[in-house]
Amino acid sequence: MNFSKPFFLFLFLSILIFLSCSSDDDTSSNDIPVDNPEEAIIGQWNLTARTEDGLEFCELSNKFYFNEDNTLEFDYNEGDEPGDCYNLLIMGSYEFLDENQLKLTFESPIESTQNVTYEFSNSSTLLISFFEDSTVTETYKKQ
């Protein structure tokens, strides 16, 4: 069987065209860049990673709830074994400051204010950085 160069060229181009026409419209809404952080932050955010010292078992249950009225709830958990978790629900508020700065005010049961740096890597991933002996960055995923 003798195949000519034009046949192989036709076959190659057909495959190339077929592969290049595959759908590029697969981007999920989670990959959309964030243009309005005030809207994007609304909702539940679950802690998934930390740059400093990693996470204890119970910390994987930590959650921020950012509400439209600029109130927040921080569901704080600590402990390193199942069944040995300490939980504290902290109420407060948040305020957007200058570019990429967020003021977190915790009011009950602990009173504290902390300015943090935030960054959305996409609409479903929020990075929050703060200083605690060194800069710590926590990664949160939106639910």
Side-chain angles (χ1 to χ4, degrees):
M1 207 180 234
N2 187 5
F3 291 103
S4 64
K5 284 184 182 180
F7 174 77
F8 283 114
L9 183 58
F10 172 76
L11 182 63
F12 174 75
L13 289 175
S14 298
I15 292 172
L16 185 63
I17 289 171
F18 175 76
L19 292 176
S20 67
C21 290
S22 68
S23 176
D24 289 338
D25 298 333
D26 297 358
T27 59
S28 74
S29 62
N30 294 339
D31 294 333
I32 298 171
V34 173
D35 295 326
N36 188 345
E38 289 85 356
E39 289 181 11
I41 202 166
I42 304 301
Q44 176 183 327
W45 296 87
N46 296 346
L47 179 64
T48 59
R50 179 183 300 125
T51 57
E52 226 16 68
D53 300 328
L55 294 172
E56 293 180 346
F57 175 81
C58 298
E59 290 176 309
L60 291 171
S61 297
N62 286 359
K63 297 173 185 61
F64 268 109
Y65 300 91
F66 292 98
N67 303 310
E68 290 181 19
D69 63 356
N70 286 47
T71 60
L72 68 82
E73 297 174 22
F74 181 47
D75 189 1
Y76 174 76
N77 298 275
E78 72 175 35
D80 57 359
E81 294 184 25
D84 190 30
C85 294
Y86 170 76
N87 175 264
L88 183 64
L89 183 60
I90 304 170
M91 309 299 284
S93 61
Y94 65 96
E95 175 185 352
F96 286 90
L97 303 174
D98 295 334
E99 188 172 322
N100 290 9
Q101 295 293 309
L102 191 62
K103 179 180 180 181
L104 303 177
T105 302
F106 302 106
E107 299 160 355
S108 172
I110 296 173
E111 293 185 13
S112 166
T113 299
Q114 187 166 21
N115 290 352
V116 299
T117 302
Y118 73 91
E119 176 187 343
F120 289 95
S121 60
N122 58 47
S123 61
S124 69
T125 304
L126 171 64
L127 306 175
I128 295 179
S129 299
F130 54 92
F131 190 80
E132 185 178 275
D133 296 328
S134 64
T135 301
V136 177
T137 300
E138 294 181 337
T139 303
Y140 290 85
K141 295 285 184 184
K142 192 168 195 175
Q143 291 302 299

